[in-house]
């Protein structure tokens, strides 16, 4: 094909949550080619998932038409219906559930990155009908970090990689094919001379390149941070002027940190006192420095404390809202934010008070964010700041218990939007019972996921090649990027806006959804710039105002005190320890002599997605369980054996990968495994009952963070043993069909 026959557009790839800006070429034959916008080595922000995305969207297994369940739930029998008939029936049944049980009986689980943001329309619809029970995987991944950062200094800061002199990775391991822009930014920073500190139980790819590697015991991030603060405070390596003027609680922190001597922290973490001190000094003296968000710290029993401690480290060392440090962006001044579009003010206070989990685990709920409303408006001009969708969420475990058991009230209608809910949270067994107990389930998907297999309706969503979009990193930054539509949606695939507008038109809410389509909605968001989305996207693939540093000097911080709250007035008012702490993990035992580290992202896949893409699956056809050679020997396991990993919650299987870089006593289990080609239906769930890590992750109180109620995934007592599979098991038989 001639180059003149090709058209080229700038698109945000949402094969993962990073949203790399790529070029997509399309020809007269309809073929699409995804390329890096900047092909230079070290700057090519693209991974294999993006390159092979057109292949995934063109698969025969893609859902292209609305499907309605016939037969019992989970029977996997479907009939094709029209969008009109589907929306008519969904609206009728949703009205019935709300009329019988109240609007709080309606819950939605959504993955904003998979639908490339919904422009606030899901929360808008829920807030207007009166339901506070929105949940998401961001409760365990970045959204919760954003909510806790707001408690400390009123926003979730973003690293200034191009100007930083030091990068600290707490377990985070960006690769060329996972978090690619972060990987490239760190390599570029190192090429300029920036230092790299990596804290990871195993010698990861980034640890190999680090100036200092601390092989801490899994799940001890909070203790390590307390040890760093001990060094930084006692050696006077903090910014005294900033601490005196802009923080509250420093002396109380000094007393708390005194309990964490280097010897005690070394005993907890397994890292020598000398190495702990050296890393703390390097971070404190190499600034400006950044501690990027880490999905590892998100998912620990001390998550709230560890996130707060990382925030405190940024503030005390003078790395907050400065060049090369971490920037508090705020809202873009001329673009309508999703937080405003969500209409949180429309949800009555009595309904907010019903949000599930807010009584016991309020950190990222309406209750947890209430004290931040006035400060947020004072500093940022808006009462609600739903950063990374992580504020104003319901607690996932509490929602699933209400769905399953009806306590404290029933939840009977459930929507899963671009979110394979069955496999995205801890305690998959509970989630299965919860879904089987619903009166109405609607899935909005590309393929027949295990969750969709249990739905009443499966509605076909468009892909990121088939929609226009805006991104500000889900409310995180004031850097706005556009994504141009390349192709028409296949079959009858539609944008998520069409779902909510269709239901709103049928449920007396049409006036609140006045935009005819998503393009009109994007035009509305850009009206402050005086241009349409089409004009904006052609002129501005990236748009931002000049960064103003140290904004707090003009406005104060968006906290109740107007300062960095080391001693948290918000947590104190909610009945929690206002200072960060460390809580020891559940110990190993004779029955469970090892620890399993779950939730691992593999480069070919994102979360539970992409396993239907032949090119990606050929690279990584089976789930691999990493373990140390000594543990393998003691367990009678050889490399390549099928093994069962068992915890108090359940068991799952994978193929053993014996690796010298794994520390003794720790097993790594990959996240999100199922096999789309195998048998569907409730008894099989396309092999999710065999391979999903969600079924070995407990959500008992002992394994939950006290303030957020999110599960501890970074060190669960487990056992491992070699097994043999019956031949039918490989075709998707449930776990109890395994033969030892």
């Amino acid at each position: 094909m001639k180059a003149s026959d090709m058209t080229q557009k700038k698109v945000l790839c949402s094969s993962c949550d990073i949203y790399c800006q790529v070029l997509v070429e399309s020809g007269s034959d309809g073929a699409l080619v995804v390329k890096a916008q900047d092909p230079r080595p070290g700057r090519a922000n693209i991974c294999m998932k993006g390159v092979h995305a057109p292949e995934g969207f063109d698969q025969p297994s893609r859902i292209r038409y609305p499907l309605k369940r016939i037969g019992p739930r989970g029977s996997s029998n479907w009939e094709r219906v029209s969008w009109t008939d589907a929306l008519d029936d969904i609206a009728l049944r949703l009205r019935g559930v709300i009329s019988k049980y109240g609007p709080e009986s309606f819950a939605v689980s959504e993955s904003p990155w998979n639908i490339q943001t919904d422009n606030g329309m899901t929360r808008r619809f829920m807030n207007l009908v009166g339901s506070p029970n929105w949940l998401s995987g961001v409760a365990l991944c970045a959204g919760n970090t954003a909510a806790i950062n707001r408690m400390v200094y009123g926003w979730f800061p973003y690293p200034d990689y191009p100007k930083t002199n030091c990068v600290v990775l707490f377990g985070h391991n960006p690769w060329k094919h996972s978090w690619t822009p972060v990987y490239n930014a760190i390599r570029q920073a190192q090429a300029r001379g920036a230092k790299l500190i990596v804290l990871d139980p195993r010698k990861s790819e980034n640890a190999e390149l680090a100036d200092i590697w601390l092989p801490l015991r899994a799940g001890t991030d909070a203790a390590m941070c307390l040890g760093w603060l001990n060094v930084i405070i006692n050696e006077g390596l903090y910014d005294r002027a900033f601490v005196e003027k802009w923080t509250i609680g420093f002396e109380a922190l000094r007393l708390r940190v005194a309990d964490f001597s280097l010897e005690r922290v070394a005993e907890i973490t397994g890292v020598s006192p000398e190495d702990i001190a050296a890393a703390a000094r390097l971070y404190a003296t190499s600034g400006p420095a950044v501690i990027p968000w880490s999905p590892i710290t998100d998912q620990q029993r001390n998550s709230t404390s560890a996130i707060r401690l990382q925030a405190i480290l940024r503030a005390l060392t003078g790395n907050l809202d400065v060049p090369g440090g971490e920037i508090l962006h705020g809202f873009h001044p001329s673009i309508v934010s999703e937080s405003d579009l969500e209409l949180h003010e429309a949800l009555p206070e009595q309904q907010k008070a019903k949000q599930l989990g807010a009584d016991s685990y309020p950190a990222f709920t309406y209750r947890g964010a209430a004290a931040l409303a006035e400060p947020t408006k004072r500093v940022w001009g808006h009462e609600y700041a739903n950063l990374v969708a992580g504020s104003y969420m319901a607690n996932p475990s509490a929602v699933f218990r209400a769905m399953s058991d009806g306590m404290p009230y029933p939840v009977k209608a459930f929507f899963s939007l671009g979110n394979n809910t069955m496999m995205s949270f801890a305690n998959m067994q509970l989630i299965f019972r919860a879904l089987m107990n619903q009166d109405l389930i609607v899935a909005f998907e590309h393929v027949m996921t295990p969750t969709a297999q249990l739905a009443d309706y499966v509605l076909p969503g468009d892909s990121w090649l088939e929609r226009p979009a805006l991104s500000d990193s889900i409310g995180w930054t004031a850097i706005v990027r556009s994504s141009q539509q390349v192709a028409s949606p296949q079959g009858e695939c539609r944008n998520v806006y069409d779902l909510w507008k269709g239901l709103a038109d049928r449920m007396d809410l049409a006036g609140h959804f006045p935009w005819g389509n998503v393009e009109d909605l994007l035009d509305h968001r850009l009206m402050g710039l005086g241009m349409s989305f089409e004009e904006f996207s052609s002129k501005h693939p990236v748009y931002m105002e000049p960064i103003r540093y140290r904004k707090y000097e003009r406005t104060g911080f968006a906290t109740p005190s107007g300062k960095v709250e080391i001693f948290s007035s918000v947590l104190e008012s909610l009945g929690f320890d206002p200072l960060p702490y460390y809580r020891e993990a559940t110990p190993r035992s004779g029955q469970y002599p090892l620890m399993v580290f779950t939730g691992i992202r593999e480069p070919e896949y994102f979360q539970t997605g992409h396993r239907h893409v032949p090119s990606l699956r050929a690279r990584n056809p089976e789930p691999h369980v990493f373990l140390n050679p000594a543990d393998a020997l003691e367990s009678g396991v050889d490399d390549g054996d099928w093994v069962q990993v068992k915890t108090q919650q359940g068991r799952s299987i994978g193929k053993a990968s014996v690796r010298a870089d794994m520390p003794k006593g720790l097993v790594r289990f990959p996240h999100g495994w199922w096999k789309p080609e195998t048998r569907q239906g409730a008894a099989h769930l396309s092999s999710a009952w065999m391979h999903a890590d969600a079924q070995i992750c407990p959500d008992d109180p002992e394994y939950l963070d006290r303030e957020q109620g999110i599960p501890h995934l970074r060190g669960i007592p487990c056992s491992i043993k070699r097994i043999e599979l019956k031949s039918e098991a490989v075709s998707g038989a449930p776990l109890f069909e395994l033969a030892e």
Side-chain angles (χ1 to χ4, degrees):
M1 183 179 297
K2 297 179 182 178
S4 59
D5 295 332
M6 303 290 289
T7 61
Q8 191 178 79
K9 293 192 176 181
K10 294 179 179 179
V11 182
L12 296 178
C13 171
S14 67
S15 294
C16 80
D17 51 2
I18 293 295
Y19 289 178
C20 295
Q21 194 131 33
V22 297
L23 297 177
V24 181
E25 294 180 345
S26 57
S28 56
D29 60 354
L32 301 177
V33 179
V34 182
K35 296 182 175 182
Q37 188 166 317
D38 186 341
R40 288 178 293 172
R43 296 180 182 272
N45 290 337
I46 192 170
C47 76
M48 66 179 81
K49 294 181 285 293
V51 170
H52 292 289
E55 176 189 351
F57 297 140
D58 285 340
Q59 285 300 302
S61 60
R62 182 173 176 184
I63 299 167
R64 293 174 170 84
Y65 303 94
L67 299 175
K68 179 180 180 180
R69 174 176 61 83
I70 54 175
R73 186 177 305 286
S75 60
S76 219
N77 294 316
W78 307 95
E79 66 176 356
R80 178 177 163 181
V81 296
S82 69
W83 269 94
T84 298
D85 288 347
L87 290 174
D88 284 348
D89 190 41
I90 292 168
L92 179 66
R93 294 169 68 175
L94 182 57
R95 277 183 180 273
V97 168
I98 291 173
S99 176
K100 183 175 181 179
Y101 300 104
E104 63 273 12
S105 63
F106 170 44
V108 175
S109 183
E110 182 176 32
S111 293
W113 50 86
N114 286 339
I115 54 178
Q116 212 163 21
T117 79
D118 63 2
N119 295 289
M121 294 298 105
T122 303
R123 299 302 299 267
R124 187 183 187 91
F125 183 89
M126 296 183 73
N127 288 333
L128 288 166
V129 300
S131 174
N133 290 321
W134 185 91
L135 62 146
S136 172
V138 301
L140 292 78
C141 188
N144 59 331
T145 300
I148 302 305
N149 271 259
R150 288 187 63 203
M151 291 183 179
V152 181
Y153 35 55
W155 197 266
F156 184 20
Y158 193 83
D160 187 5
Y161 292 109
K163 298 177 183 177
T164 196
N165 291 332
C166 181
V167 178
V168 179
L169 296 177
F170 272 85
H172 197 17
N173 187 38
W175 297 358
K176 289 183 179 180
H177 292 283
S178 270
W179 294 287
T180 307
V182 179
Y183 171 87
N184 286 334
I186 293 171
R187 300 289 85 82
Q188 291 165 26
Q190 287 186 287
R192 288 189 292 98
K195 303 298 183 182
L196 177 63
I197 303 170
V198 173
L199 302 95
D200 199 309
R202 72 184 184 101
K203 196 160 192 180
S204 66
E205 289 77 2
N206 277 280
E208 293 277 1
L209 302 172
D211 295 277
I212 295 179
W213 168 48
L214 302 184
L216 79 173
R217 184 164 60 92
T220 61
D221 294 28
M224 180 63 74
C225 290
L226 287 162
W228 279 26
L229 285 166
N230 186 301
V231 173
I232 290 167
I233 292 174
N234 289 334
E235 297 184 8
L237 302 179
Y238 58 93
D239 186 332
R240 293 178 183 273
F242 181 88
V243 167
E244 290 176 5
K245 185 175 182 179
W246 290 109
T247 70
I248 59 170
F250 179 74
E251 290 304 321
L253 177 70
R254 186 197 294 272
L255 293 175
R256 176 64 55 89
V257 164
D259 291 336
F260 289 86
S261 66
L262 288 181
E263 290 71 26
R264 182 186 176 194
V265 174
E267 183 178 350
I268 293 171
T269 63
V271 178
S272 73
E274 295 77 16
D275 288 346
I276 296 170
R281 292 177 189 128
L282 183 64
Y283 168 70
T285 61
S286 297
V290 297
I291 305 176
W293 158 79
S294 169
I296 308 305
T297 307
D298 281 343
Q299 299 164 4
Q300 300 182 18
R301 68 167 37 81
N302 296 301
S303 175
T304 298
S305 284
I307 293 167
R308 291 183 63 210
L309 286 162
Q310 290 174 2
I312 290 166
L313 280 165
R314 295 182 187 111
L316 264 57
T317 54
N319 289 308
L320 194 60
D321 215 26
V322 298
E326 304 195 43
I327 311 304
L328 304 170
H329 275 269
F331 295 100
H332 193 286
S334 304
I335 296 175
V336 178
S337 73
E338 292 193 41
S339 293
D340 276 356
L341 287 167
E342 288 170 345
L343 294 183
H344 293 281
E345 66 276 8
L347 184 65
E349 290 301 318
Q350 64 266 27
Q351 291 304 111
K352 289 175 180 172
K354 295 177 183 178
Q355 192 168 50
L356 289 164
D359 53 345
S360 300
Y361 303 110
F364 50 61
T365 68
Y366 280 111
R367 179 178 169 229
L372 299 173
E374 185 281 326
T376 300
K377 188 169 185 178
R378 169 174 50 83
V379 173
W380 304 118
H382 303 259
E383 185 173 350
Y384 293 94
N386 196 9
L387 311 185
V388 199
S391 297
Y392 325 115
M393 292 186 287
N395 174 267
S397 291
V399 172
F400 298 133
R401 283 183 165 77
M403 291 168 63
S404 174
D405 307 325
M407 299 296 292
Y409 55 76
V411 170
K412 302 297 287 185
F414 183 77
F415 285 21
S416 179
L417 307 181
N419 174 253
N420 188 2
T421 310
M422 268 289 298
M423 303 171 61
S424 297
F425 304 89
N427 194 346
M428 186 168 124
Q429 298 89 336
L430 169 65
I431 301 171
F432 177 75
R433 295 194 302 272
L435 293 174
M436 294 299 287
N437 193 37
Q438 293 302 287
D439 290 351
L440 173 65
I441 300 177
V442 177
F444 185 80
E445 269 297 352
H446 288 160
V447 296
M448 192 62 72
T449 65
T451 304
Q453 292 170 32
L454 303 179
D456 297 286
Y457 283 94
V458 183
L459 303 179
D462 57 7
S463 77
W464 54 266
L465 293 167
E466 301 165 348
R467 69 171 81 101
L470 286 176
S471 171
D472 56 4
S473 299
I474 318 180
W476 189 352
T477 73
I479 304 169
V480 180
R481 298 179 295 159
S482 60
S483 185
Q484 296 177 302
Q485 182 175 345
V486 177
S488 298
Q490 297 184 21
E492 295 179 10
C493 297
R494 293 189 181 181
N495 190 268
V496 71
Y497 177 72
D498 297 316
L499 165 64
W500 293 123
K501 178 168 176 56
L503 292 179
D505 288 348
R506 291 162 170 81
M507 296 181 67
D508 303 322
L509 297 173
H512 296 284
F513 291 78
W515 309 284
N517 52 40
V518 69
E519 290 88 348
D520 293 344
L521 176 53
L522 293 174
D523 288 346
H524 169 75
R525 293 190 64 187
L526 295 167
M527 61 184 178
L529 296 176
M531 64 180 78
S532 67
F533 174 80
E534 183 177 358
E535 295 171 311
F536 179 86
S537 61
S538 63
K539 295 178 182 178
H540 301 290
V542 179
Y543 187 87
M544 62 182 295
E545 300 288 324
I547 294 176
R548 301 176 67 184
Y549 299 105
R550 296 184 176 87
K551 292 177 281 297
Y552 56 84
E553 293 180 347
R554 297 180 292 276
T555 63
F557 291 94
T559 61
S561 64
K563 297 184 178 183
V564 174
E565 296 207 354
I566 297 170
F567 185 100
S568 176
S569 64
V570 176
L571 288 174
E572 183 180 41
S573 70
L574 295 170
F576 295 99
D577 192 333
L579 290 171
Y581 58 86
Y582 175 73
R583 171 181 164 216
E584 187 50 75
T586 302
R588 293 178 286 185
S589 65
Q591 184 180 5
Y592 300 115
L594 303 172
M595 298 293 254
V596 61
F597 186 109
T598 67
I600 309 303
R601 182 190 290 190
E602 299 165 298
E604 295 84 3
Y605 309 120
F606 178 64
Q607 314 297 34
T608 72
H610 304 111
R611 287 168 180 82
H612 70 291
V613 183
S615 296
L616 298 177
R617 190 65 180 282
R619 290 176 53 93
N620 187 6
E622 303 288 354
H624 288 275
V625 180
F626 295 175
L627 69 161
N628 177 274
D631 293 326
L633 182 64
E634 291 174 8
S635 303
V637 171
D638 291 326
D639 190 75
D641 284 347
W642 283 102
V643 294
Q644 169 189 277
V645 176
K646 184 178 180 181
T647 70
Q648 70 168 48
Q649 179 63 36
R651 50 187 175 174
S652 194
I653 68 169
K655 273 196 166 183
S657 181
V658 181
R659 296 173 51 139
D661 63 348
M662 284 296 298
K664 191 175 188 311
L666 186 66
V667 175
R668 284 169 58 94
F669 200 97
H671 174 54
W673 262 93
W674 60 294
K675 296 180 178 179
E677 73 276 10
T678 61
R679 296 170 65 184
Q680 297 183 2
H684 308 283
L685 296 180
S686 298
S687 299
W689 285 127
M690 292 177 65
H691 302 302
D693 58 328
Q695 61 191 330
I696 62 173
C697 300
D699 67 345
D700 302 338
E702 173 61 22
Y703 289 91
L704 296 181
D705 174 89
R706 285 173 175 162
E707 295 84 0
Q708 301 173 50
I710 58 97
H712 179 76
L713 306 182
R714 311 309 191 186
I716 305 166
C718 77
S719 64
I720 187 168
K721 66 177 178 179
R722 179 182 177 276
I723 60 170
E724 293 185 4
L725 299 183
K726 289 184 177 181
S727 59
E728 65 268 26
V730 184
S731 300
L735 191 59
F736 57 76
E737 292 283 1
L738 299 177
E740 299 177 13

